[in-house]
């Protein structure tokens, strides 16, 4: 836990000049005994003190939170919000720089003014280079107010993790048994669907939409159509990475992710089979995220057994 | 009136809104009008009005025959809003909701036939009986305020409110809404059986259908828009906002819940609380507004540990209990 | 001014304006030394204004011309310094001014702005070295405020530019909502804080000087006390309010005296020219101080010590002495500014001079025997005058016969002492004082005595001298100043308009004795009015500036430390002592300490009760509502109603099942969350209602 009072103080370039000049004028004043130079020296030194007090006032009572996006993908920019709240009852904070410190990610945001009792968000863009866990450790709130002579910063603990999904690549031309309609696979029985199953006479009281107009016109009487019952297609994406590492592993993982996404977009229920672990089939946003998270965390050289595909599902094996 | 009072009154009545007092009178007349058709359900009516004022949609989860349809129709009639009812069945297609472009031979051009979704108030009956594809068509319209047909985006009217019902007892042949889509509903309510005396009255005094047919509008779409404008301007103290956040955090920090309330849930909770405060004639939110509304706003937004999303009635009841228990552990600001 | 006009200025404008103002202040700090030269005095403001309007257009254009100009200026200044024509500090100041002008025309990026501020600071330092004027103090004040603005805005501007990129920052920089008067005032307050800190550092920074190389200050000489008076003049004697002497007296004159009645003697003029007076030419000899004659029967008083500061230009070479017999003259600074020893001389007439003469303030102390000569002791000293008094007995041959008659009438058969008194009384009581000059007269004295019968002090004194000389009594005309006005800076100020002229009469074995025939009320100047007062106030301010700032040194520092130390020890002594007031003082001090402690405790308690910092931020009604609810809660709990931390007020009211509880909760909520009013009486009434209802239930 970083204590509240901890501060770091560094000179800015201007500050180094200013300090040098102050020392120079101080020497001149001592050398000549010119009281007016002492007066100037006093002003310069007092400005340093005032700047110290004010920067402290700016930093005090500022809390910063990080707002991570719900998902980030390697190679694509992610917007990370830094929410600063000034909890001081009255005093505003000026020119705050909020930045990451110590973690895997670097980024900074700037706020000109943070009024008392208010919050404001600064955001920075960050493009993750790799998939997997990105750790955040501290947030640093820094200020160079009011004169830009010194930079005072205050570290705040804000540990967090962001799981970055594998880079988006074009899915390999692997196809499970393809179907006419996206996502839905006709079964060989009558039901609700889009594929035609068979034609028969239209019965009174049936929905007019079941009338097959072409056939009716040809037959001279109303012919109805039965459609095939559709069922969701089930796909299992399999990744056997026991012998993969480095770029090969990355490529395989990316392909697997692309397959999962493609199949889910196509409406299939997708399961995932990895070495020693797996994900039961499912669909929907949450499921996609779960699958991508699992892929994001794939480590080289696993100990588990060979991946076991879900029974009854079409298997798509991702390879580098 | 002191200048300060004037300032605060100005703050809570933004341009085009109405004062809290007007809102209260409006709510009362609507309430009494609707209760002629739907007796003994004042709370439900108030919540439905709150959802309307907050610009949200309503999910009614109940057994058939308790008056879900009556509620929707009475609301539509009292507000003089265009009303449409869609019975969701397994063979309902997206085009049945949004409308279709058909070829008009006489004009040699395509003509758009708007679907029922272009009404102000839509009763989506038994929404879980249709396919996910049709469901998502409705839900997308709900969240985006427009529908795209044949590549043309068509805005929906304002106010626009969907009252969806689903029957928790039927499992066979239903497609339960996924949790991400349940989030689109501001409130989930269950109307519940009428109280014994009301039920007896219903039996003896004949149906309410007659009453429903004779309901006269007491407010206009314009009034609803003003109500919505005013609800957005209701004052929320910092402590109240913190309270809402604390409740949302509580749903995330308990092992009973695997997926807690999203940020959208916290926003929804505050939004409904503001609307209800306005309907009660107040220009500010008090902790009770928040606490009373936690269950209808949050229960359908959480996933209990070890269960699938949005399941049957048992699921619903236990989610409601969990929310209620959690809220009882969050200190109320004073 | 544009700054406070309705629409305000954008951040960018404010930043540029602040930079220009800082440059102007720095320039003013240099300009008050009056050494910059007319060309730069005109050039700089013109360049400043020009840069403000057209500077942007010339950015990075004609770079070579600027370079040539600056290099040329540098070479010229360097040559002048090497040739000994120009002081190096002055040369540096001028060069810095040129660089500053260059930078004013080239302001775009952060480097430019910072360089400009740096140059301003250098200019200020040069100004400090060039002059010790009070005006520098004002320029310094202006600089501290404007430079604070400039620094803060520059920082803000470039922080925004680097933090948001050019596109994102443009809107913010053009925003008129940032550089509000409130922010300017806040920054002004900041500079005030800086000045306070500056003063603190200034007074406490140890004054250990290594080199002690003071730059001699130069001024323009003003007409001094001449050795000549011309009585023929036209017009009116104008009051010159400028201060010529600053005098501190020990022992001080009677308490509360706002003005002195002191003759500050400069020169004795013995030779009558027919139209005026001039000094007798005699050589200077190192000053001697003969013992004073006894002219009073009263016991000898301690001598008067007059600490006199003669303002540069007014008393060139002449030492002014107070009334009485001078016993010693010593210089405040034994060395002149140029380092040569100051030496004191006296001429035959007894006037004091110092050498070398240089323009600049001179401070010296005169010790004088204070005796008012008694008439008794002056009488009977005979009329045997030494021969060297011939010049003081000389009467012009063409003296007006009426003057002779008058002299005879006033002095006949009288002892010289009585004769002198009689003439003095005659003149001061029968003739009128006038500041209007009579114009050119053939015989100004006869015109004054017998025709116009009014005139100014020189006519009075001249007439007296001539009347006495006609009667064979040696007398001479003396010039100097009269009076002195108290200033709140702790000294008496004598103004140029206080110039005066009076008479000295010689008595054997007693020496020269002062007589003043001018009516007492008309001596010196009676300067009133706004302008005269303002001049005095300005002089006082200037003296304080000099005393506390310019001449502040290790000695003063030590004195201050000693003073603070003695103040503390005095307080301690009085506290622990057995003096009359000690017990009371202890009581008062103890009470004060107790009050402060109680206030602190109360504050802390309140914070704790209102839930830490949150309570401190509530409005009065919100706080009252909170208190009301907390009290109601306690009452409800006592009545056996179960309340937890998650129980809302409405729930509590429902559980209480009394209308009063609902009423209270409604009032509480409206005040706590809705910003409604809740008076203390209302709150009390609600609580009473709740009490009654709970008792009834």
């Amino acid at each position: 836990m970083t204590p509240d009072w901890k501060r770091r103080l560094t000179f800015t370039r201007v500050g180094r000049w200013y300090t040098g000049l102050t020392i120079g004028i101080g020497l001149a004043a001592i050398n000549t005994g010119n009281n007016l130079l002492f007066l100037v020296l006093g002003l310069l030194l007092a400005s340093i003190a005032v700047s110290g007090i004010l920067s402290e006032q700016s930093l005090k009572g500022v809390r910063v939170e990080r707002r991570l996006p719900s998902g980030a993908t390697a190679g694509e920019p992610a917007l990370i919000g830094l929410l600063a709240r000034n909890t001081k009852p009255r005093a505003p904070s000026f020119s705050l720089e909020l930045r990451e410190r110590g973690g895997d990610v670097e980024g900074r945001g700037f706020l000109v003014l943070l009024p008392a009792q208010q919050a404001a968000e600064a955001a920075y863009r960050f493009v993750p280079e790799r998939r997997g866990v990105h750790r955040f450790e501290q947030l640093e709130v820094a200020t160079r107010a009011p004169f830009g002579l010194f930079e005072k910063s205050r570290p705040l603990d804000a540990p967090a993790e962001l799981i970055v999904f594998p880079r988006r690549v074009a899915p390999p031309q692997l196809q499970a048994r393809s179907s006419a309609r996206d996502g839905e696979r006709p079964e060989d029985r009558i039901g609700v669907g889009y594929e035609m199953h068979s034609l028969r006479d239209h019965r009174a009281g049936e929905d007019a939409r079941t009338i097959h107009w072409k056939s009716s016109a040809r037959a001279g009487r109303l012919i109805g159509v039965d459609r095939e019952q559709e069922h969701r297609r089930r796909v299992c994406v399999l990744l056997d990475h026991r012998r993969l590492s480095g770029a090969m592993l990355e490529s395989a993982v990316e392909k697997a992710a692309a397959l999962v996404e493609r199949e889910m977009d196509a409406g299939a229920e997708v399961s995932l089979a990895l070495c020693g672990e797996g994900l039961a089939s499912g669909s929907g946003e949450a499921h996609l995220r779960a699958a991508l998270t699992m892929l994001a965390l794939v480590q080289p050289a696993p100990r588990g057994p060979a991946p076991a595909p879900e029974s009854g599902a079409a298997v798509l094996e991702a390879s580098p | 009136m002191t200048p300060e009072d004037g300032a605060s009154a100005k703050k809570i009545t933004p341009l085009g809104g109405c004062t809290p007092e007007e809102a209260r009178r409006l709510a009362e007349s609507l309430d009494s009008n609707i209760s002629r058709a739907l007796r003994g359900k004042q709370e439900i009516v108030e919540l439905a009005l709150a959802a309307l004022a907050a610009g949200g949609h309503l999910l009614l989860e109940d057994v058939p025959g308790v008056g879900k349809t009556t509620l929707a129709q009475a609301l539509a009639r009292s507000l003089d809003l265009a009303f449409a009812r869609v019975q969701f069945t397994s063979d309902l297609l997206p085009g049945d909701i949004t409308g279709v472009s058909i070829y008009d031979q006489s004009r040699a051009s395509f003509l758009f036939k708007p679907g029922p979704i272009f009404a102000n108030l839509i009763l989506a009956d038994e929404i879980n009986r249709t396919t996910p594809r049709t469901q998502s068509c409705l839900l997308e319209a709900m969240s985006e305020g427009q529908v795209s047909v044949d590549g043309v985006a068509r805005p929906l009217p304002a106010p626009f409110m969907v009252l969806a019902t689903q029957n928790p007892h039927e499992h066979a042949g239903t497609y339960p809404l996924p949790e991400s889509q349940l989030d689109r509903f501001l409130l989930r309510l269950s109307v519940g059986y009428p109280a014994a005396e009301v039920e007896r009255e219903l039996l003896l005094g004949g149906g309410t259908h007659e009453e429903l047919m004779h309901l006269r509008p007491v407010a206009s779409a314009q009034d609803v828009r003003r109500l919505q404008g005013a609800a957005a301007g209701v004052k929320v103290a910092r402590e109240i906002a913190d309270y809402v956040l604390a409740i949302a955090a509580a749903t995330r920090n308990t092992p009973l819940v695997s997926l807690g309330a999203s940020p959208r849930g916290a926003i929804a909770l505050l939004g409904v609380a503001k609307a209800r405060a306005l309907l009660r004639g107040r220009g500010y939110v008090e902790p009770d507004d928040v606490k009373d509304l936690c269950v209808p706003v949050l229960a359908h937004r959480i996933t209990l540990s070890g269960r699938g999303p949005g399941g049957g009635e048992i699921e619903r009841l236990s989610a409601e209990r969990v929310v209620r228990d959690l809220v009882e552990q969050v200190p109320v600001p004073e | 001014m544009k700054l406070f006009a309705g629409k305000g200025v954008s951040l960018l404008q404010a930043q540029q304006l602040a930079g220009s103002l800082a440059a102007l202040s720095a320039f003013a700090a240099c300009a008050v030394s009056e050494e910059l030269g007319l060309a730069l005095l005109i050039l700089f403001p013109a360049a400043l204004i020009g840069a403000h309007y057209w500077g942007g257009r010339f950015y990075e254009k004609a770079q070579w011309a600027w370079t040539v100009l600056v290099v040329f200026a540098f070479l010229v200044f360097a040559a002048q310094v090497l040739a000994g024509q120009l002081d190096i500090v002055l040369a540096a100041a001028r060069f810095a001014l040129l660089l500053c002008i260059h930078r004013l025309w080239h302001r775009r990026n952060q480097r430019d702005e910072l360089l400009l501020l740096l140059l301003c600071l250098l200019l200020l330092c040069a100004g400090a070295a060039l002059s010790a004027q009070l005006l520098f103090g004002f320029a310094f004040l202006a600089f501290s405020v404007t430079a604070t603005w400039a620094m803060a805005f520059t920082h803000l501007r470039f922080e925004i530019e680097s933090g948001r990129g050019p596109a994102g920052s443009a809107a913010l920089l053009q925003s008129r909502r940032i550089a509000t008067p409130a922010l300017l005032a806040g920054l002004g307050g900041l500079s005030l804080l800086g000045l306070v800190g500056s003063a603190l550092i200034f007074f406490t920074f140890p004054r250990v000087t290594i080199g002690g190389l003071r730059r001699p200050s130069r001024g323009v000489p003003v007409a001094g006390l001449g050795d000549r008076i011309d009585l023929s003049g036209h017009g009116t004697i104008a009051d010159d309010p400028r201060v010529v002497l600053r005098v501190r007296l020990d022992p001080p004159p009677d308490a509360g005296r706002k003005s002195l009645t002191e003759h500050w003697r400069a020169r004795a003029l013995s030779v009558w020219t027919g139209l005026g007076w001039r000094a007798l030419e005699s050589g200077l000899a190192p000053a001697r101080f003969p013992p004073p004659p006894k002219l009073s029967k009263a016991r000898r008083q301690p001598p008067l010590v007059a600490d006199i500061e003669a303002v540069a230009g007014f008393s060139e070479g002449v030492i002014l002495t107070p009334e009485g017999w001078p016993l010693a003259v010593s210089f405040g600074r034994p060395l002149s500014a140029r380092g040569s020893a100051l030496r004191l001389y006296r001429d035959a007439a007894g006037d004091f001079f110092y050498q070398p003469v240089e323009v600049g303030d001179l401070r010296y102390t005169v010790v004088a025997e204070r005796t008012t000569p008694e008439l008794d002791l002056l009488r009977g000293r005979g009329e045997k005058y030494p021969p060297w008094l011939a010049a003081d007995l000389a009467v012009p041959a063409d003296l007006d016969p009426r003057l002779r008659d008058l002299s005879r009438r006033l002095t006949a058969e009288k002892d010289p002492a009585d004769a002198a008194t009689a003439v003095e009384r005659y003149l001061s009581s029968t003739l009128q004082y006038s500041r209007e000059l009579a114009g050119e007269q053939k015989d100004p004295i006869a015109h004054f005595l017998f025709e116009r019968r009014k005139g100014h002090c020189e006519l009075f004194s001249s007439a007296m001298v001539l009347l006495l000389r006609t009667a064979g009594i040696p007398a001479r005309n003396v010039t100097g100043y009269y009076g002195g006005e108290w200033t709140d800076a702790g000294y008496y100020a004598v103004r140029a308009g206080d110039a005066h002229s009076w008479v000295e009469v010689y008595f054997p074995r007693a020496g020269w004795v002062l007589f003043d025939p001018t009516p007492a009320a008309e001596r010196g100047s009676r300067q009133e009015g706004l302008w005269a007062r303002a001049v005095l106030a300005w002089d006082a301010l200037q003296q304080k500036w000099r005393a506390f700032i310019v001449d502040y040194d290790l000695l003063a520092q030590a004195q201050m430390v000693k003073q603070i130390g003695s103040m503390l020890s005095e307080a301690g002594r009085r506290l622990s002592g057995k003096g009359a007031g000690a017990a009371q003082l202890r009581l008062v001090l103890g009470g004060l300490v107790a009050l402060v402690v109680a206030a602190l405790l109360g504050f802390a308690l309140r914070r704790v009760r209102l839930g830490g910092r949150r309570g401190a931020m509530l409005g009065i009604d919100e706080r009252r509502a909170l208190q009301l609810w907390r009290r109601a809660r306690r009452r409800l709990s006592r009545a056996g109603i179960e309340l937890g931390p998650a129980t809302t007020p409405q729930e509590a009211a429902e559980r209480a099942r009394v209308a009063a509880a609902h009423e209270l909760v409604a009032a509480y909520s409206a005040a706590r969350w809705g910003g409604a009013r809740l008076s203390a009486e209302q709150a009390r009434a609600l609580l009473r209602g709740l009490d009654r209802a709970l008792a009834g239930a």
Side-chain angles (χ1 to χ4, degrees), chain B residues 2 4 235 237-240 242-243 284-288 291-292 327-334, chain C residues 614 617-618 622 626 629-630 633 645-651 666 668-670 672-675 677:
Chain B
T2 62
E4 266 179 38
K235 179 179 166 184
R238 202 169 52 82
E239 291 89 341
I240 300 279
D242 288 345
Y243 181 50
Y284 55 89
V285 176
E286 57 181 51
D288 288 278
K291 195 177 173 186
D292 292 352
V327 171
E328 280 304 333
Q329 281 157 21
V330 179
V332 171
E334 42 177 34
Chain C
R614 192 170 288 184
M617 278 140 33
L618 293 179
E622 288 169 335
L626 190 55
W629 171 236
R630 284 184 177 162
R633 257 183 101 97
T647 311
T648 64
Q650 296 283 6
E651 286 167 354
Y668 153 71
S669 288
R672 177 70 184 90
W673 310 116
R677 284 286 161 82

Side-chain angles (χ1 to χ4, degrees), chain C residues 372-407:
Chain C
T372 321
E374 286 168 32
L375 214 53
D376 288 0
L377 295 181
L378 289 176
R379 284 193 189 114
R381 288 183 179 248
E383 296 186 25
K384 286 183 66 180
Y385 302 109
W388 51 265
L389 280 176
D392 298 306
L393 279 164
V395 178
D398 55 343
L399 200 66
D400 193 290
R402 288 174 293 177
L403 200 144
R404 253 179 232 289
D405 288 346
L406 179 64
S407 170

Side-chain angles (χ1 to χ4, degrees), chain C residues 228-230 271-278:
Chain C
R228 198 170 268 284
I229 286 180
D230 193 1
V271 181
W272 173 249
T273 59
L275 288 173
W277 299 95
R278 72 175 165 78

Side-chain angles (χ1 to χ4, degrees), chain C residues 217-571:
Chain C
S217 59
R218 268 180 261 165
V220 185
V222 181
L225 286 172
D227 52 1
R228 198 170 268 284
I229 286 180
D230 193 1
L231 289 178
S232 56
H234 290 280
T236 308
I237 300 173
D239 276 335
D240 185 346
R242 283 180 294 174
V243 174
V244 290
L245 294 183
R246 302 187 192 95
V247 188
R248 295 166 184 84
L249 294 180
D250 181 34
D254 308 340
R257 278 269 289 282
K258 282 289 176 204
S259 53
L260 292 176
T261 54
E262 188 77 34
H263 291 81
W264 302 99
R265 184 185 185 281
R267 311 231 27 201
L269 308 176
S270 299
V271 181
W272 173 249
T273 59
L275 288 173
W277 299 95
R278 72 175 165 78
L280 192 65
E281 274 167 31
S282 71
L284 293 179
R288 286 183 304 112
F289 295 91
K294 177 121 177 90
L295 293 174
S296 168
K297 283 182 291 233
R299 225 158 53 92
R300 246 169 212 252
Q301 292 172 339
L304 173 83
V305 181
D307 179 359
I308 299 171
E309 217 177 309
V311 175
F314 280 102
S315 63
E316 213 176 336
V318 180
I319 295 280
L320 288 122
T321 56
E323 286 172 38
W325 191 273
L327 296 176
V329 173
S330 56
F331 294 103
R333 229 183 325 121
L335 291 180
S336 78
R338 299 207 189 281
S340 44
L342 280 172
R343 261 169 302 177
L344 187 70
Y345 295 97
R346 212 168 177 185
D347 69 357
D351 306 343
F352 289 99
F353 301 90
Y354 66 90
Q355 273 178 351
V357 178
E358 66 181 31
V359 180
D361 291 3
L362 180 72
R363 192 160 184 172
Y364 51 88
T365 312
V366 181
V367 183
E369 176 82 23
R370 278 303 243 193
T371 43
T372 321
E374 286 168 32
L375 214 53
D376 288 0
L377 295 181
L378 289 176
R379 284 193 189 114
R381 288 183 179 248
E383 296 186 25
K384 286 183 66 180
Y385 302 109
W388 51 265
L389 280 176
D392 298 306
L393 279 164
V395 178
D398 55 343
L399 200 66
D400 193 290
R402 288 174 293 177
L403 200 144
R404 253 179 232 289
D405 288 346
L406 179 64
S407 170
R408 201 172 305 123
R409 208 172 69 230
L410 289 172
T411 61
E413 309 297 318
K414 283 184 186 154
D415 186 273
D418 293 318
T421 316
V423 172
E424 186 189 50
R425 191 173 306 138
Y426 169 80
L427 288 174
S428 63
S429 57
T430 60
L431 293 168
Q432 278 190 340
Y433 185 84
S434 166
R435 287 172 171 272
E436 270 166 53
L437 301 178
E440 212 161 305
Q441 301 294 332
K442 208 177 114 261
D443 185 347
I445 302 300
H447 178 78
F448 164 64
L449 280 175
F450 308 114
E451 281 149 41
R452 195 163 171 248
R453 295 192 65 81
K454 56 182 182 182
H456 63 280
C457 59
E458 286 170 345
L459 287 168
F460 278 88
S461 60
S462 305
M464 178 160 173
V465 171
L466 288 181
L467 285 169
L468 287 178
R469 283 189 185 181
T470 314
I473 304 169
R476 62 190 183 185
N477 196 62
V478 180
T479 61
Y481 295 96
Y482 177 85
E485 203 173 333
W486 178 253
T487 66
D488 55 2
Y491 60 89
Y492 288 96
V494 178
R495 302 163 185 268
D498 289 334
H500 189 48
S501 161
W502 61 95
V503 177
E504 279 179 355
V505 182
Y506 187 85
F507 294 94
R509 299 181 312 281
W512 295 98
V513 175
L514 185 154
F515 285 84
D516 193 342
T518 311
E522 309 287 354
R523 293 171 195 164
S525 64
R526 291 165 307 158
Q527 298 199 18
E528 275 156 14
L530 224 55
W531 178 236
R533 271 211 296 274
V535 167
L536 210 60
W538 175 255
D539 191 69
L541 202 61
Q542 210 158 21
Q543 286 322 298
K544 280 182 185 162
W545 164 257
R546 266 186 37 177
F548 290 112
I549 306 293
V550 179
D551 291 340
Y552 185 79
D553 56 8
L554 195 59
L555 209 65
Q557 207 165 25
Q559 234 164 19
M560 198 172 72
V561 171
K562 234 193 301 192
Q563 244 172 19
I564 292 172
S566 69
M567 250 164 66
L568 287 178
S569 70
E570 168 72 12

Side-chain angles (χ1 to χ4, degrees), chain C residues 606 610 615 618-632 664 667-668 671-672 676-684 686-687:
Chain C
R606 192 195 179 100
L610 290 176
L618 293 179
I620 179 91
D621 293 299
E622 288 169 335
R623 211 173 302 165
R624 207 174 273 144
L626 190 55
Q627 234 158 31
L628 171 68
W629 171 236
R630 284 184 177 162
R631 287 185 181 145
L664 186 145
Y668 153 71
R672 177 70 184 90
R677 284 286 161 82
L678 179 68
S679 68
E681 296 84 65
Q682 257 175 300
R684 274 196 293 276
L686 286 165
L687 274 180

